[in-house]
Amino acid sequence: MAIGYKTLILIDNSRSVGEANFTLCRETAKYIAEHLSEEDSARIATFGEGIEYLTDYTGDTALLKERIDKLVLIERDTYITDNLADIIMDWNRQDVACRNIILFTDGEEKEPVRHANEELYYLLKEADYPVYIVQSVENKSISASKNLSAVATISGGELLLTEFEGSEGGSETIMGDRILKAIEEVRTSAGESETGQERGGMSENAELTGDAENAASGPEKEPETTVSDVMYIENRAEPSAVLLNSGTIEFENNGSQESTPIIRKNSDTENGRISLNVLVPAAGLFAAFLFAFMVFRLIKRSRASGKKADGLFTRHDDSLKLEAGIAEAAEDYDCLTYKLDEDCNATRLLDQEEKGRNIVLEDCSDPTRLYRAVCDDSLIIGRSENLCDIVISNDDSVSGRHCELELRGDNWYIRDLRSSNGTRVNAQKVFQELLLKNGDIVQLGQSALQVRI
């Protein structure tokens, strides 16, 4: 029986798409809805800052085409990365399979707010949801095309353009057939994989049955011994025995007695001594592990070189850690410390007042990496340099805007900003908001930070 797929047809109806391209996109979407396999269903949605679903998943072609025909261009901002990431995360939580996304867009979007591009790529790589994209090229943007191409490639989908050679007529048919063929190829591949597994299981059972019949047909035979099974040879007349590399056994018998070899099976040890054919591979594995560990440490140290951002500074060695200590001591004098250019190799005290309270986040895996900021209302923490006050750029598991710290009176509160990997305080997941105390451990993705307030 064929596998039924659910396809989300996601249509960008912002004015930047243009009337001509929008008409072509609607006709292509209608063609796809009309030619889906009988076991498949589709759902229509548009998007801007969020997603507006116009139907449920259905095989009713007339309903799907009716909703597509009613779509018009409107003035709106679009967020492709944020919306795609939200869809993939939602499907992952539901643990559903056999889903596709067909995206019609010109690729123009506002800078993501909830998720970075790299975060979307990671989600697509880990999931199994192909994204097939039809890009309008009236106002083609190279950066937009690169992002869409990455989304299609990583997800296992395809990127098509509304303008291509021979696109004067019937473009909706050409693009629609291309997408439907790609979906069918995935379905066929999945079906062959399941059939292969069933056949593999039957073959295995057949072999087991054959062995059982052989066992029942007669007495058990002693296994044959081959030269490859020989570990060493002893001779009762004490001749010298040589095992050649080619597998040939030769004897040099200096006495008149007949040579009688004793053949023993391979063993990991011989008279308490470790065999060389065990020791040599073990030594090789240990050397490979040691090399990999050294490379890992070098990569980790190279990534430890963070960036300076507004409202914070990052420390990476003993001299800078000492500087951080000086900065903390300087707080007793109601003044600020500023890190000078690297050539100065020093700090200076500035008699300058600044409203707000200080908060310091210390990386638990590397105490020389400190994040210190002054705040009088709230701070955003995440990986995006343009959207965050405290930037954690050395950890890909941290979202673009991961969490928010808010100062209310003398208390600090933390809340998660719908991050992919969540926010935890002392191993407790943050669902709404939590009060922070001095010494708390905040977990952002793979990064653990100790709070000092």
Side-chain angles (χ1 to χ4, degrees), residues 275-332:
S275 172
L276 285 178
N277 58 352
V278 175
L279 183 60
V280 172
L285 287 174
F286 177 78
F289 172 80
L290 184 61
F291 177 77
F293 179 76
M294 293 175 64
V295 171
F296 171 78
R297 292 295 297 172
L298 288 174
I299 293 175
K300 187 174 181 181
R301 287 189 177 183
S302 66
R303 287 182 176 179
S305 56
K307 298 180 180 178
K308 179 183 175 185
D310 294 337
L312 64 98
F313 51 84
T314 310
R315 313 296 185 200
H316 301 295
D317 53 33
D318 291 340
S319 62
L320 291 181
K321 191 172 183 181
L322 177 60
E323 180 186 332
I326 296 173
E328 289 178 357
E331 293 173 7
D332 297 335

Side-chain angles (χ1 to χ4, degrees), residues 34-49:
E34 186 175 5
H35 291 82
L36 286 172
S37 298
E38 293 182 359
E39 61 273 8
D40 292 350
S41 59
R43 188 179 195 182
I44 308 300
T46 58
F47 66 97
E49 293 184 0

Side-chain angles (χ1 to χ4, degrees), residues 232-356:
Y232 59 88
I233 298 174
E234 293 178 355
N235 191 276
R236 300 185 189 282
E238 297 184 357
S240 58
V242 181
L243 179 60
L244 302 181
N245 291 334
S246 62
T248 305
I249 302 176
E250 296 182 358
F251 295 92
E252 297 177 1
N253 194 340
N254 297 326
S256 58
Q257 296 181 359
E258 183 179 356
S259 300
T260 307
I262 300 175
I263 303 176
R264 300 184 181 178
K265 294 289 183 179
N266 287 342
S267 173
D268 289 344
T269 60
E270 175 186 348
N271 296 332
R273 297 189 302 272
I274 299 177
S275 172
L276 285 178
N277 58 352
V278 175
L279 183 60
V280 172
L285 287 174
F286 177 78
F289 172 80
L290 184 61
F291 177 77
F293 179 76
M294 293 175 64
V295 171
F296 171 78
R297 292 295 297 172
L298 288 174
I299 293 175
K300 187 174 181 181
R301 287 189 177 183
S302 66
R303 287 182 176 179
S305 56
K307 298 180 180 178
K308 179 183 175 185
D310 294 337
L312 64 98
F313 51 84
T314 310
R315 313 296 185 200
H316 301 295
D317 53 33
D318 291 340
S319 62
L320 291 181
K321 191 172 183 181
L322 177 60
E323 180 186 332
I326 296 173
E328 289 178 357
E331 293 173 7
D332 297 335
Y333 297 94
D334 268 339
C335 58
L336 298 174
T337 60
Y338 288 86
K339 186 175 182 298
L340 305 181
D341 295 335
E342 294 182 359
D343 296 337
C344 297
N345 195 26
T347 59
R348 65 185 177 189
L349 301 181
L350 302 178
D351 188 8
Q352 177 183 350
E353 294 185 358
E354 184 172 340
K355 296 181 180 179

